[in-house]
Amino acid sequence: MVASRKDEKTRRNNWETIPLRYICELNPSVHFEGFEEDDELTFLPMDRVKSGYFLPNTDKFSKYASSYNAFEEGDIILAKVTPCFENGNIAIAKNLEGGKGFGSSELFVIRPTKVNRKFLFYYFQSSAFKQEGEASMTGAGGLKRVSPDLLRQHHLPFPEEQTQRLIADYLDRETARIDSLVAEKEKMLALLEEKRAALISHAVTRGLDPTAPLKPSGLDWLGDIPAHWETRPIKFCVAPQKDAVKTGPFGSQLVASEMDQGTIKVYNQKNVIQKELYSGDNYITEDKFEELKAFSIFPGDILVTTRGTIGRCAIVPDDAEVGILHPCLMRIQVNASVVLPEYLALLIQDGHIVLLQLRVLSNATTIEVIYSESLNSVIIPVPPMDEQKTILKIITVKNNVINNAITEVRNMAGIGGSSLLVPGSSIRFHSRSELLPCLERHDAAFGDRNLFS
């Protein structure tokens, strides 16, 4: 028999509210009798604890003598440091090597004793708990931590055991369904990105006219190119002047402490990756600018990320403020009679042929750094100027279509929006980050099914 909404409200109003410490042990003791120093146990540094699970990892028991927190099978481990707490980094310790483990000192360990383990696991991901946790944080900047008093003093709604189990089972089912939905959408996103890559790669190596006669490029990795195109090393595509390709200041020339003062902007990787050149995080004094003036940027320069996320490009706009390169950036000043800056940026970032050659030149499968000498040696196919303009125009149009499709797929996946309200309760859960809203949108929450039927 299906309960009415009035019945649901009555049940919810009958829930107790009790201190968390009454139903679980907080940072409980773990006994390691019988273990030898060389025994392998589960070891979880902070980066191994994700949103709802952990990545298996082991280390020798002897390492536990350092300042780590211990846990055992069935314990809940919860990040207490920002931004991991806000991101919902939490897991249930299960399938542990040796049945026990140890991990970062930035983890809370909670052992359920008088509460359904999964119910408590999901509760720690609720907006009510997370908001209180964030409010309790102490410290500065990236070192903020949830206060230990939060766990000792926090009160939570505590329904009867059967209701806890029903809620936990409901969330198990629905989050599993979300995971499946998201996995399908991620496949679609990957296919769209592949389509984008294939489109750009074909346009910058074969052009737009499928009937155009071809000729051998002389490069095995490139194959044939349109007969009226030419190939050039990048060093013959840049402006005929000193330092047309220049990497940012090296080592002690510019240190981090010198980039948080003054009024002259230091263009950094964030500016390039986000293609937002008008904002700024780093600034130097005028005296430092005079010292590093050789690293100035100018309108029309291509800025390229050279470390970490490499090969991302942005064009300096005409009204950009005066500034210099960050040590992790490179500037390229093109010969405008040979190649458009937008076209060369497209080749570097999205054409794949540049990064492919850099890997060959560095004799490595991955590239940690892009050096100016290596980039100068890279050979690119160069179409006539009017064809470069046409390719850029067509790529822009088709890119917009693909971007719109990607946005639509992301929206279908339920990214963004409000949290999931468990039917028949006042608890909102943020499990799977912000993906739970798709349950509300696609199922109208609980619909005809009733949690308490």
Side-chain angles (χ1 to χ4, degrees):
M1 179 178 178
V2 176
S4 67
R5 293 186 182 275
K6 183 178 180 180
D7 292 335
E8 290 179 10
K9 185 175 181 180
T10 300
R11 289 174 184 269
R12 186 166 66 246
N13 290 340
N14 288 335
W15 287 12
E16 294 182 83
T17 301
I18 66 172
L20 180 63
R21 66 182 185 275
Y22 286 9
I23 58 172
C24 59
E25 294 181 53
L26 307 176
N27 298 313
S29 59
V30 176
H31 302 289
F32 287 98
E33 293 86 351
F35 286 94
E36 303 291 337
E37 286 193 350
D38 288 338
D39 287 345
E40 292 282 329
L41 296 177
T42 295
F43 174 59
L44 298 180
M46 181 60 73
D47 62 357
R48 288 273 169 172
V49 181
K50 304 300 181 181
S51 181
Y53 66 98
F54 65 86
L55 301 175
N57 186 54
T58 62
D59 211 325
K60 293 188 182 301
F61 171 56
S62 58
K63 190 172 182 177
Y64 172 59
S66 302
S67 56
Y68 292 105
N69 285 347
F71 48 85
E72 61 185 32
E73 196 79 16
D75 288 347
I76 297 173
I77 48 179
L78 171 67
K80 60 183 176 183
V81 68
T82 190
C84 302
F85 177 80
E86 297 95 317
N87 292 342
N89 291 22
I90 183 175
I92 295 177
K94 55 185 178 181
N95 301 319
L96 302 179
E97 187 77 19
K100 302 178 190 292
F102 56 102
S104 170
S105 60
E106 301 292 359
L107 293 170
F108 287 126
V109 179
I110 303 103
R111 183 170 298 161
T113 55
K114 299 177 182 178
V115 61
N116 181 284
R117 179 175 287 101
K118 274 296 188 71
F119 174 83
L120 188 59
F121 167 73
Y122 283 120
Y123 178 76
F124 285 140
Q125 299 170 70
S126 69
S127 56
F129 179 79
K130 291 177 76 172
Q131 287 168 8
E132 192 167 332
E134 290 172 30
S136 79
M137 283 183 166
T138 58
L143 296 178
K144 287 186 177 181
R145 295 177 178 84
V146 174
S147 169
D149 290 337
L150 171 73
L151 296 184
R152 289 192 289 267
Q153 300 173 4
H154 184 76
H155 288 59
L156 77 160
F158 191 67
E160 61 185 17
E161 183 179 352
Q162 181 185 15
T163 302
Q164 294 176 35
R165 179 176 53 79
L166 287 169
I167 290 175
D169 290 347
Y170 167 78
L171 288 169
D172 275 346
R173 289 193 306 272
E174 299 303 339
T175 53
R177 189 164 67 85
I178 292 171
D179 287 344
S180 177
L181 173 67
V182 171
E184 289 301 314
K185 298 305 176 283
E186 285 177 346
K187 289 180 184 177
M188 293 174 66
L189 291 172
L191 288 173
L192 287 167
E193 291 293 355
E194 286 179 19
K195 182 175 181 179
R196 186 208 306 276
L199 167 70
I200 294 173
S201 180
H202 189 274
V204 299
T205 56
R206 290 296 184 94
L208 301 173
D209 182 1
T211 65
L214 302 176
K215 69 178 181 182
S217 66
L219 303 167
D220 291 339
W221 54 266
L222 182 57
D224 293 342
I225 61 173
H228 60 290
W229 288 19
E230 59 180 344
T231 56
R232 288 185 177 220
I234 286 180
K235 63 184 176 183
F236 294 140
C237 297
V238 300
Q241 61 193 38
K242 183 182 178 182
D243 292 334
V245 178
K246 189 170 183 65
T247 304
F250 178 78
S252 60
Q253 286 181 302
L254 182 63
V255 297
S257 61
E258 295 175 308
M259 291 189 283
D260 60 359
Q261 52 192 301
T263 58
I264 306 298
K265 184 172 174 177
V266 179
Y267 287 83
N268 59 26
Q269 285 184 299
K270 181 180 175 182
N271 294 125
V272 175
I273 291 171
Q274 297 182 356
K275 289 184 168 45
E276 174 48 75
L277 299 186
Y278 295 105
S279 61
D281 297 322
N282 304 123
Y283 289 86
I284 56 174
T285 63
E286 292 187 12
D287 287 344
K288 193 66 180 180
F289 174 67
E290 288 300 320
E291 179 187 331
L292 300 176
K293 210 165 187 177
F295 300 97
S296 296
I297 62 98
F298 301 93
D301 286 358
I302 305 172
L303 303 185
V304 186
T305 57
T306 59
R307 296 175 184 270
T309 303
I310 65 170
R312 304 294 290 274
C313 299
I315 310 295
V316 178
D318 290 339
D319 56 351
E321 64 182 293
V322 172
I324 66 167
L325 296 166
H326 186 277
C328 293
L329 291 186
M330 175 190 297
R331 78 166 187 229
I332 303 175
Q333 297 170 335
V334 303
N335 182 338
S337 66
V338 176
V339 65
L340 295 169
E342 294 83 2
Y343 191 80
L344 183 54
L346 178 70
L347 279 168
I348 294 171
Q349 178 171 300
D350 298 307
H352 302 295
I353 57 178
V354 172
L355 292 182
L356 171 64
Q357 288 180 79
L358 288 173
R359 281 197 294 269
V360 172
L361 290 168
S362 63
N363 194 30
T365 55
T366 59
I367 311 167
E368 302 295 334
V369 183
I370 297 178
Y371 297 103
S372 57
E373 298 84 0
S374 299
L375 190 67
N376 269 321
S377 300
V378 167
I379 298 172
I380 59 171
V382 182
M385 191 64 67
D386 61 342
E387 198 167 346
Q388 292 180 38
K389 294 177 182 177
T390 302
I391 289 173
L392 285 169
K393 182 178 180 180
I394 297 298
I395 290 294
T396 298
V397 171
K398 291 184 179 288
N399 241 344
N400 288 339
V401 173
I402 293 173
N403 286 337
N404 289 338
I406 288 174
T407 299
E408 184 179 348
V409 171
R410 289 191 188 281
N411 289 339
M412 288 169 60
I415 297 174
S418 59
S419 56
L420 171 67
L421 175 64
V422 175
S425 80
S426 59
I427 304 176
R428 286 189 178 274
F429 288 91
H430 286 276
S431 142
R432 304 300 185 270
S433 187
E434 294 184 358
L435 296 177
L436 285 175
C438 70
L439 293 177
E440 291 184 340
R441 290 200 293 273
H442 295 300
D443 278 352
F446 209 68
D448 293 331
R449 295 169 295 156
N450 193 298
L451 183 62
F452 302 106
S453 59

PDB file of all heavy atoms in Angstrom, residues 398-416:
ATOM      1  N   LYS A 398      32.425  24.971 -37.994  1.00  0.00           N
ATOM      2  CA  LYS A 398      32.225  23.567 -37.614  1.00  0.00           C
ATOM      3  C   LYS A 398      32.539  23.350 -36.127  1.00  0.00           C
ATOM      4  O   LYS A 398      31.904  22.527 -35.467  1.00  0.00           O
ATOM      5  CB  LYS A 398      33.094  22.664 -38.493  1.00  0.00           C
ATOM      6  CG  LYS A 398      32.618  22.613 -39.948  1.00  0.00           C
ATOM      7  CD  LYS A 398      33.426  21.636 -40.771  1.00  0.00           C
ATOM      8  CE  LYS A 398      32.922  21.566 -42.206  1.00  0.00           C
ATOM      9  NZ  LYS A 398      31.640  20.881 -42.325  1.00  0.00           N
ATOM     10  N   ASN A 399      33.509  24.095 -35.611  1.00  0.00           N
ATOM     11  CA  ASN A 399      33.823  24.006 -34.186  1.00  0.00           C
ATOM     12  C   ASN A 399      32.637  24.441 -33.339  1.00  0.00           C
ATOM     13  O   ASN A 399      32.356  23.845 -32.292  1.00  0.00           O
ATOM     14  CB  ASN A 399      35.032  24.890 -33.864  1.00  0.00           C
ATOM     15  CG  ASN A 399      36.192  24.080 -33.320  1.00  0.00           C
ATOM     16  OD1 ASN A 399      36.036  22.942 -32.899  1.00  0.00           O
ATOM     17  ND2 ASN A 399      37.365  24.682 -33.320  1.00  0.00           N
ATOM     18  N   ASN A 400      31.952  25.483 -33.772  1.00  0.00           N
ATOM     19  CA  ASN A 400      30.775  25.956 -33.037  1.00  0.00           C
ATOM     20  C   ASN A 400      29.698  24.896 -32.992  1.00  0.00           C
ATOM     21  O   ASN A 400      29.027  24.715 -31.970  1.00  0.00           O
ATOM     22  CB  ASN A 400      30.240  27.245 -33.666  1.00  0.00           C
ATOM     23  CG  ASN A 400      31.137  28.440 -33.399  1.00  0.00           C
ATOM     24  OD1 ASN A 400      31.928  28.434 -32.454  1.00  0.00           O
ATOM     25  ND2 ASN A 400      31.033  29.464 -34.233  1.00  0.00           N
ATOM     26  N   VAL A 401      29.513  24.189 -34.100  1.00  0.00           N
ATOM     27  CA  VAL A 401      28.521  23.112 -34.143  1.00  0.00           C
ATOM     28  C   VAL A 401      28.891  22.013 -33.144  1.00  0.00           C
ATOM     29  O   VAL A 401      28.046  21.528 -32.373  1.00  0.00           O
ATOM     30  CB  VAL A 401      28.412  22.526 -35.568  1.00  0.00           C
ATOM     31  CG1 VAL A 401      27.506  21.299 -35.574  1.00  0.00           C
ATOM     32  CG2 VAL A 401      27.886  23.578 -36.541  1.00  0.00           C
ATOM     33  N   ILE A 402      30.169  21.624 -33.141  1.00  0.00           N
ATOM     34  CA  ILE A 402      30.618  20.575 -32.227  1.00  0.00           C
ATOM     35  C   ILE A 402      30.519  21.043 -30.777  1.00  0.00           C
ATOM     36  O   ILE A 402      30.080  20.292 -29.892  1.00  0.00           O
ATOM     37  CB  ILE A 402      32.058  20.144 -32.568  1.00  0.00           C
ATOM     38  CG1 ILE A 402      32.077  19.444 -33.937  1.00  0.00           C
ATOM     39  CG2 ILE A 402      32.617  19.212 -31.491  1.00  0.00           C
ATOM     40  CD1 ILE A 402      33.463  19.123 -34.451  1.00  0.00           C
ATOM     41  N   ASN A 403      30.896  22.295 -30.514  1.00  0.00           N
ATOM     42  CA  ASN A 403      30.802  22.821 -29.151  1.00  0.00           C
ATOM     43  C   ASN A 403      29.367  22.838 -28.655  1.00  0.00           C
ATOM     44  O   ASN A 403      29.092  22.538 -27.482  1.00  0.00           O
ATOM     45  CB  ASN A 403      31.392  24.232 -29.081  1.00  0.00           C
ATOM     46  CG  ASN A 403      32.908  24.232 -29.159  1.00  0.00           C
ATOM     47  OD1 ASN A 403      33.549  23.232 -28.848  1.00  0.00           O
ATOM     48  ND2 ASN A 403      33.474  25.340 -29.592  1.00  0.00           N
ATOM     49  N   ASN A 404      28.430  23.187 -29.525  1.00  0.00           N
ATOM     50  CA  ASN A 404      27.020  23.176 -29.147  1.00  0.00           C
ATOM     51  C   ASN A 404      26.552  21.759 -28.832  1.00  0.00           C
ATOM     52  O   ASN A 404      25.777  21.539 -27.886  1.00  0.00           O
ATOM     53  CB  ASN A 404      26.159  23.778 -30.265  1.00  0.00           C
ATOM     54  CG  ASN A 404      26.345  25.278 -30.398  1.00  0.00           C
ATOM     55  OD1 ASN A 404      26.779  25.946 -29.461  1.00  0.00           O
ATOM     56  ND2 ASN A 404      26.030  25.822 -31.565  1.00  0.00           N
ATOM     57  N   ALA A 405      27.029  20.788 -29.627  1.00  0.00           N
ATOM     58  CA  ALA A 405      26.674  19.395 -29.374  1.00  0.00           C
ATOM     59  C   ALA A 405      27.254  18.925 -28.043  1.00  0.00           C
ATOM     60  O   ALA A 405      26.593  18.213 -27.274  1.00  0.00           O
ATOM     61  CB  ALA A 405      27.169  18.510 -30.518  1.00  0.00           C
ATOM     62  N   ILE A 406      28.490  19.330 -27.745  1.00  0.00           N
ATOM     63  CA  ILE A 406      29.119  18.954 -26.475  1.00  0.00           C
ATOM     64  C   ILE A 406      28.344  19.545 -25.304  1.00  0.00           C
ATOM     65  O   ILE A 406      28.094  18.871 -24.295  1.00  0.00           O
ATOM     66  CB  ILE A 406      30.589  19.410 -26.457  1.00  0.00           C
ATOM     67  CG1 ILE A 406      31.416  18.519 -27.398  1.00  0.00           C
ATOM     68  CG2 ILE A 406      31.165  19.359 -25.043  1.00  0.00           C
ATOM     69  CD1 ILE A 406      32.852  18.971 -27.575  1.00  0.00           C
ATOM     70  N   THR A 407      27.935  20.813 -25.436  1.00  0.00           N
ATOM     71  CA  THR A 407      27.152  21.454 -24.372  1.00  0.00           C
ATOM     72  C   THR A 407      25.842  20.719 -24.149  1.00  0.00           C
ATOM     73  O   THR A 407      25.419  20.494 -23.005  1.00  0.00           O
ATOM     74  CB  THR A 407      26.878  22.917 -24.736  1.00  0.00           C
ATOM     75  OG1 THR A 407      28.124  23.608 -24.869  1.00  0.00           O
ATOM     76  CG2 THR A 407      26.034  23.591 -23.675  1.00  0.00           C
ATOM     77  N   GLU A 408      25.190  20.322 -25.243  1.00  0.00           N
ATOM     78  CA  GLU A 408      23.923  19.599 -25.134  1.00  0.00           C
ATOM     79  C   GLU A 408      24.108  18.270 -24.417  1.00  0.00           C
ATOM     80  O   GLU A 408      23.313  17.896 -23.557  1.00  0.00           O
ATOM     81  CB  GLU A 408      23.329  19.375 -26.528  1.00  0.00           C
ATOM     82  CG  GLU A 408      21.964  18.705 -26.505  1.00  0.00           C
ATOM     83  CD  GLU A 408      21.384  18.529 -27.903  1.00  0.00           C
ATOM     84  OE1 GLU A 408      21.936  19.134 -28.850  1.00  0.00           O
ATOM     85  OE2 GLU A 408      20.395  17.798 -28.037  1.00  0.00           O
ATOM     86  N   VAL A 409      25.180  17.566 -24.768  1.00  0.00           N
ATOM     87  CA  VAL A 409      25.435  16.275 -24.115  1.00  0.00           C
ATOM     88  C   VAL A 409      25.732  16.477 -22.630  1.00  0.00           C
ATOM     89  O   VAL A 409      25.245  15.733 -21.783  1.00  0.00           O
ATOM     90  CB  VAL A 409      26.609  15.544 -24.804  1.00  0.00           C
ATOM     91  CG1 VAL A 409      27.021  14.310 -24.001  1.00  0.00           C
ATOM     92  CG2 VAL A 409      26.208  15.122 -26.215  1.00  0.00           C
ATOM     93  N   ARG A 410      26.499  17.498 -22.304  1.00  0.00           N
ATOM     94  CA  ARG A 410      26.795  17.767 -20.888  1.00  0.00           C
ATOM     95  C   ARG A 410      25.518  18.075 -20.122  1.00  0.00           C
ATOM     96  O   ARG A 410      25.337  17.647 -18.980  1.00  0.00           O
ATOM     97  CB  ARG A 410      27.778  18.928 -20.756  1.00  0.00           C
ATOM     98  CG  ARG A 410      29.184  18.589 -21.209  1.00  0.00           C
ATOM     99  CD  ARG A 410      30.156  19.683 -20.811  1.00  0.00           C
ATOM    100  NE  ARG A 410      31.466  19.483 -21.386  1.00  0.00           N
ATOM    101  CZ  ARG A 410      32.379  18.634 -20.918  1.00  0.00           C
ATOM    102  NH1 ARG A 410      32.098  17.909 -19.850  1.00  0.00           N
ATOM    103  NH2 ARG A 410      33.550  18.507 -21.505  1.00  0.00           N
ATOM    104  N   ASN A 411      24.627  18.832 -20.728  1.00  0.00           N
ATOM    105  CA  ASN A 411      23.354  19.143 -20.075  1.00  0.00           C
ATOM    106  C   ASN A 411      22.518  17.890 -19.880  1.00  0.00           C
ATOM    107  O   ASN A 411      21.856  17.713 -18.854  1.00  0.00           O
ATOM    108  CB  ASN A 411      22.574  20.178 -20.891  1.00  0.00           C
ATOM    109  CG  ASN A 411      23.215  21.553 -20.827  1.00  0.00           C
ATOM    110  OD1 ASN A 411      23.978  21.847 -19.920  1.00  0.00           O
ATOM    111  ND2 ASN A 411      22.906  22.394 -21.803  1.00  0.00           N
ATOM    112  N   MET A 412      22.552  16.998 -20.883  1.00  0.00           N
ATOM    113  CA  MET A 412      21.827  15.732 -20.755  1.00  0.00           C
ATOM    114  C   MET A 412      22.380  14.900 -19.611  1.00  0.00           C
ATOM    115  O   MET A 412      21.670  14.169 -18.944  1.00  0.00           O
ATOM    116  CB  MET A 412      21.931  14.929 -22.053  1.00  0.00           C
ATOM    117  CG  MET A 412      21.125  15.487 -23.210  1.00  0.00           C
ATOM    118  SD  MET A 412      21.560  14.664 -24.762  1.00  0.00           S
ATOM    119  CE  MET A 412      21.150  12.960 -24.374  1.00  0.00           C
ATOM    120  N   ALA A 413      23.699  15.041 -19.357  1.00  0.00           N
ATOM    121  CA  ALA A 413      24.328  14.264 -18.292  1.00  0.00           C
ATOM    122  C   ALA A 413      23.979  14.809 -16.926  1.00  0.00           C
ATOM    123  O   ALA A 413      24.298  14.207 -15.920  1.00  0.00           O
ATOM    124  CB  ALA A 413      25.849  14.272 -18.470  1.00  0.00           C
ATOM    125  N   GLY A 414      23.293  15.962 -16.868  1.00  0.00           N
ATOM    126  CA  GLY A 414      22.859  16.481 -15.584  1.00  0.00           C
ATOM    127  C   GLY A 414      23.905  17.301 -14.870  1.00  0.00           C
ATOM    128  O   GLY A 414      23.840  17.459 -13.664  1.00  0.00           O
ATOM    129  N   ILE A 415      24.905  17.812 -15.587  1.00  0.00           N
ATOM    130  CA  ILE A 415      25.946  18.596 -14.943  1.00  0.00           C
ATOM    131  C   ILE A 415      25.405  19.993 -14.664  1.00  0.00           C
ATOM    132  O   ILE A 415      24.890  20.649 -15.541  1.00  0.00           O
ATOM    133  CB  ILE A 415      27.202  18.660 -15.815  1.00  0.00           C
ATOM    134  CG1 ILE A 415      27.776  17.258 -15.980  1.00  0.00           C
ATOM    135  CG2 ILE A 415      28.234  19.611 -15.229  1.00  0.00           C
ATOM    136  CD1 ILE A 415      28.935  17.189 -16.930  1.00  0.00           C
ATOM    137  N   GLY A 416      25.534  20.434 -13.427  1.00  0.00           N
ATOM    138  CA  GLY A 416      25.029  21.733 -13.023  1.00  0.00           C
ATOM    139  C   GLY A 416      23.625  21.617 -12.491  1.00  0.00           C
ATOM    140  O   GLY A 416      22.877  20.697 -12.798  1.00  0.00           O
TER     141      GLY A 416
END
